[in-house]
Amino acid sequence: MLTASWGGLGILWETEVAMCVIRPTRHTFGFMEKHDIFTLSFFDEKYRKALKICGKKSGRYVDKAKVAGLTPLPGRDGGVYFAEARMVLECRKLYWSDMDPAHFSNPKLNNFYPEKDYHRMYFGKILTCYAR
């Protein structure tokens, strides 16, 4: 689990897709590499404190869901999502690609990467949408 605000939705290869980016230094990166299914959970503002915990703590050292007070649930297609989310997309990985700083059209984008830990982009086919 990680807190992210970079990503996107759209149509690619005649398929509804979600795109997310993860730095290779994040604990979640290993899970994305190991598994074909991933979920994206969207929360109401009242969960901002919980999401800040998830963004600041590493899952290597702490059970973030427990500390943040979030309830993990099994998804229909093998992913895990959170009962408190207002919407969840369960996705199957279709493609990944590493960001290459040589392709930045604006050199200032390198300022986002002082550690040179460029994101890996993941595109997933949206399998299921849970909404409440």
Side-chain angles (χ1 to χ4, degrees):
M1 162 195 333
L2 87 145
T3 300
S5 59
W6 296 2
L9 302 172
I11 306 293
L12 187 63
W13 306 302
E14 300 177 345
T15 302
E16 295 170 329
V17 298
M19 185 272 295
C20 62
V21 295
I22 301 176
R23 293 177 193 262
T25 52
R26 297 296 298 259
H27 186 54
T28 303
F29 183 84
F31 294 107
M32 287 294 285
E33 290 297 294
K34 183 177 178 181
H35 301 284
D36 289 332
I37 302 294
F38 66 93
T39 59
L40 301 174
S41 298
F42 301 84
F43 293 85
D44 290 327
E45 181 65 28
K46 68 182 179 179
Y47 293 102
R48 182 165 299 279
K49 182 178 177 183
L51 297 178
K52 283 185 179 182
I53 290 169
C54 295
K56 291 182 180 181
K57 303 279 185 185
S58 173
R60 287 182 183 101
Y61 311 112
V62 66
D63 180 342
K64 292 199 287 187
K66 184 176 182 178
V67 172
L70 299 175
T71 311
L73 295 173
R76 186 183 76 186
D77 294 293
V80 175
Y81 69 99
F82 299 94
E84 295 79 8
R86 68 176 160 79
M87 185 176 80
V88 176
L89 300 176
E90 192 166 15
C91 306
R92 179 179 311 281
K93 275 192 298 185
L94 292 173
Y95 176 81
W96 63 265
S97 181
D98 293 326
M99 287 191 179
D100 182 344
H103 297 169
F104 289 160
S105 60
N106 181 343
K108 290 183 180 180
L109 295 177
N110 279 296
N111 294 340
F112 289 99
Y113 302 97
E115 305 298 320
K116 308 295 184 214
D117 57 342
Y118 300 99
H119 286 96
R120 176 165 286 179
M121 298 178 289
Y122 295 93
F123 289 85
K125 175 182 178 158
I126 300 171
L127 301 173
T128 307
C129 177
Y130 308 97
R132 60 177 175 94

